Amino acid sequence: GNLQNYSEFRSTRLFIEGVGYDSYDFKVEVDFASEQANWSDPGVRIQDAYVGLRDIPLLGRVVLGNQRVPFGLESQSRLEHLTFLERALPVELAGRDFGPVDPVFTGLPGLWPGDDDVQLRRVGVAAYNSSNCPKWHVGYGLFFEDVDTLITERPDDNQGVSLSVRGVWLPWYKN
């Protein structure tokens, strides 16, 4: 038969970022191409919305707001800088909300992402620091649990926090 014309955007994002006085930085990024979009939920998601302060002694750069969680290399990399076309399956599954558990995965422990799994972005405070040569880098932060990704809030007294730490060490460095 006659196939209908079809087009879809994998990612449609607008962002603004900047640096002020060589000490402050900010970023606001909004995604308009969500797969879950419908009339009640238009699918617009806040990806990044943070402010940062640079060159703090012992801490390095401190960031406050909705940001990437320092967990693994692929979760820190932008899509255009990945080695392959897509992120690895465990990273993709960690960042998604699957709603109720699918009966297919019920008997497969460890394959279904639960509430304790890491998400790619969360609301919290994080610090990032590196050596001057760059021989090592560390990122760590405290992030709020169960914040709704659409309205980025959780009006509840049972708010938990999670700690994430990522360290990298280069044993040999030569300019």
Side-chain angles (χ1 to χ4, degrees):
N2 184 11
L3 295 176
Q4 297 294 320
N5 293 336
Y6 177 77
S7 64
E8 179 179 355
F9 291 98
R10 177 175 172 219
S11 178
T12 304
R13 295 182 181 183
L14 292 176
F15 74 91
I16 183 169
E17 63 183 342
V19 177
Y21 303 107
D22 290 331
S23 297
Y24 305 97
D25 61 83
F26 68 92
K27 182 176 181 183
V28 177
E29 182 175 353
V30 181
D31 185 9
F32 294 96
S34 174
E35 290 289 332
Q36 293 96 8
N38 57 42
W39 288 108
S40 62
D41 176 7
V44 177
R45 298 284 185 260
I46 297 172
Q47 296 294 324
D48 291 317
Y50 62 77
V51 293
L53 184 58
R54 298 177 177 196
D55 300 326
I56 298 176
L58 298 175
L59 295 178
R61 178 176 173 243
V62 176
V63 180
L64 176 66
N66 196 50
Q67 59 188 299
R68 294 178 186 266
V69 176
F71 184 85
L73 179 61
E74 280 195 355
S75 65
Q76 297 294 302
S77 302
R78 295 181 57 98
L79 286 174
E80 62 266 20
H81 299 147
L82 294 178
T83 304
F84 298 105
L85 186 60
E86 299 283 341
R87 294 188 195 280
L89 185 59
V91 175
E92 284 291 324
L93 290 177
R96 297 205 177 165
D97 179 17
F98 288 90
V101 175
D102 189 338
V104 173
F105 291 101
T106 305
L108 303 173
L111 293 180
W112 185 258
D115 292 336
D116 297 326
D117 289 334
V118 69
Q119 293 178 353
L120 295 180
R121 290 181 171 89
R122 287 197 176 171
V123 176
V125 60
Y128 303 91
N129 202 354
S130 307
S131 64
N132 291 334
C133 64
K135 201 137 163 89
W136 58 267
H137 173 80
V138 65
Y140 52 92
L142 283 173
F143 298 92
F144 294 112
E145 294 286 335
D146 301 328
V147 176
D148 186 270
T149 58
L150 180 61
I151 57 175
T152 60
E153 70 178 28
R154 175 167 173 155
D156 191 353
D157 290 338
N158 295 325
Q159 182 80 49
V161 293
S162 61
L163 172 67
S164 178
V165 178
R166 178 177 187 265
V168 178
W169 174 63
L170 180 65
W172 179 59
Y173 177 78
K174 182 178 179 183
N175 285 335

